[in-house]
Amino acid sequence: YGPELPSLVSEAVFYIITMSIAVCIRRTFQQSEKAQSGKICLSRGICGSEFAMLYPCIFRVLALLAIMGSFVTPFFVAPRTVHPVMGWVLFLLGSSCLLVINIIIFHLPVLPMFTPWIGFVGALLVLAFPFYSNGVMRAIVIAAYAFFASPFLWWAVKEILATVDFNTERESLRSWTNLRSEPQQSELMKLC
C-alpha cells in the first residue's frame, strides 16, 4: 500500500482544505446576506412566470442530486487498490466535505444532512464486526440494521425536502415583494 499513500494523503488534504474554505466563505456570506434584501427576481424577463413555477421543482431536484452526488463522487474518486480501512476513511471524509458544501449552498439543516453519513458509518461498523459465526448471521444483522435505520433516513429526507420547499418559497416571496415595491417607488418619484 506504500505507492498509493501519497495520493491518499493529497486527496485527504484536498478534502480538508475544501471543507475549511467553504466554512470560511459561508461565514463571510452570512454577514453580507443580512444586509441584502433580496437575491433574485424570478418574474422578470421573457420567461419569468414559467421559470417562477418551475423554480421549486428545479431547486428540489438540484438539491437531491447534489446530496446523492456527495456520496457517489468520493466512492469513485477513492483509489481501489488501497487498504479497505484507508479507502472507507477517505470516502467518509470526502462525503462529509461535500455534505458541508451542500449544507452551505442550499441552506440545509446539519443533522438531517449527516443522518445518511452516520448510517454509512454504522453500516461499516456492522460489516466490520469480527465475531459473526457465519455469513448468514452477518446478513441477518445487516438486514436488522437497515430495518432500524430506515425511519431515521426517512425523517432526514422529509426534513431536507421541507427545508428546500421553505427556501424556495422564501426566495420567491422575496423576489415578489421586491418586484411589487419597485413600481410604487417609481410612481412616487414621478409624482414628486
Side-chain angles (χ1 to χ4, degrees):
Y1 302 119
E4 302 251 347
L5 194 59
S7 67
L8 286 175
V9 170
S10 63
E11 197 171 337
V13 168
F14 171 75
Y15 286 141
I16 291 170
I17 289 174
T18 304
M19 194 179 339
S20 61
I21 288 173
V23 169
C24 291
I25 288 173
R26 177 63 187 153
R27 287 187 181 161
T28 59
F29 277 139
Q30 279 180 340
Q31 295 168 355
S32 66
E33 282 178 358
K34 291 178 183 175
Q36 192 176 15
S37 62
K39 288 191 260 184
I40 58 173
C41 189
L42 295 173
S43 56
R44 290 187 181 174
I46 298 170
C47 302
S49 61
E50 290 84 10
F51 182 71
M53 290 187 326
L54 290 176
Y55 179 70
C57 295
I58 292 171
F59 194 74
R60 178 184 274 191
V61 168
L62 281 177
L64 291 177
L65 287 176
I67 292 167
M68 286 189 292
S70 66
F71 289 108
V72 172
T73 304
F75 182 77
F76 288 114
V77 173
R80 302 277 187 274
T81 57
V82 297
H83 191 274
V85 173
M86 292 188 289
W88 283 113
V89 167
L90 191 63
F91 164 75
L92 292 172
L93 181 64
S95 62
S96 66
C97 171
L98 294 175
L99 282 174
V100 166
I101 291 172
N102 287 333
I103 289 169
I104 291 169
I105 289 174
F106 293 108
H107 303 284
L108 297 172
V110 176
L111 184 61
M113 284 291 287
F114 272 99
T115 300
W117 189 86
I118 294 168
F120 274 118
V121 172
L124 289 174
L125 292 176
V126 167
L127 284 171
F129 189 69
F131 301 114
Y132 295 118
S133 59
N134 55 19
V136 174
M137 188 65 184
R138 183 179 301 233
I140 290 171
V141 172
I142 290 170
Y145 177 78
F147 176 77
F148 287 116
S150 61
F152 297 106
L153 291 174
W154 182 252
W155 168 81
V157 168
K158 283 181 18 182
E159 289 291 318
I160 290 168
L161 291 180
T163 304
V164 167
D165 288 341
F166 175 73
N167 288 343
T168 56
E169 288 174 9
R170 184 181 65 184
E171 287 296 324
S172 62
L173 181 63
R174 281 174 138 179
S175 64
W176 187 80
T177 56
N178 286 347
L179 181 66
R180 297 301 297 165
S181 64
E182 287 178 5
Q184 292 172 358
Q185 290 175 355
S186 63
E187 288 174 9
L188 181 64
M189 294 304 281
K190 287 181 184 177
L191 293 175
C192 294

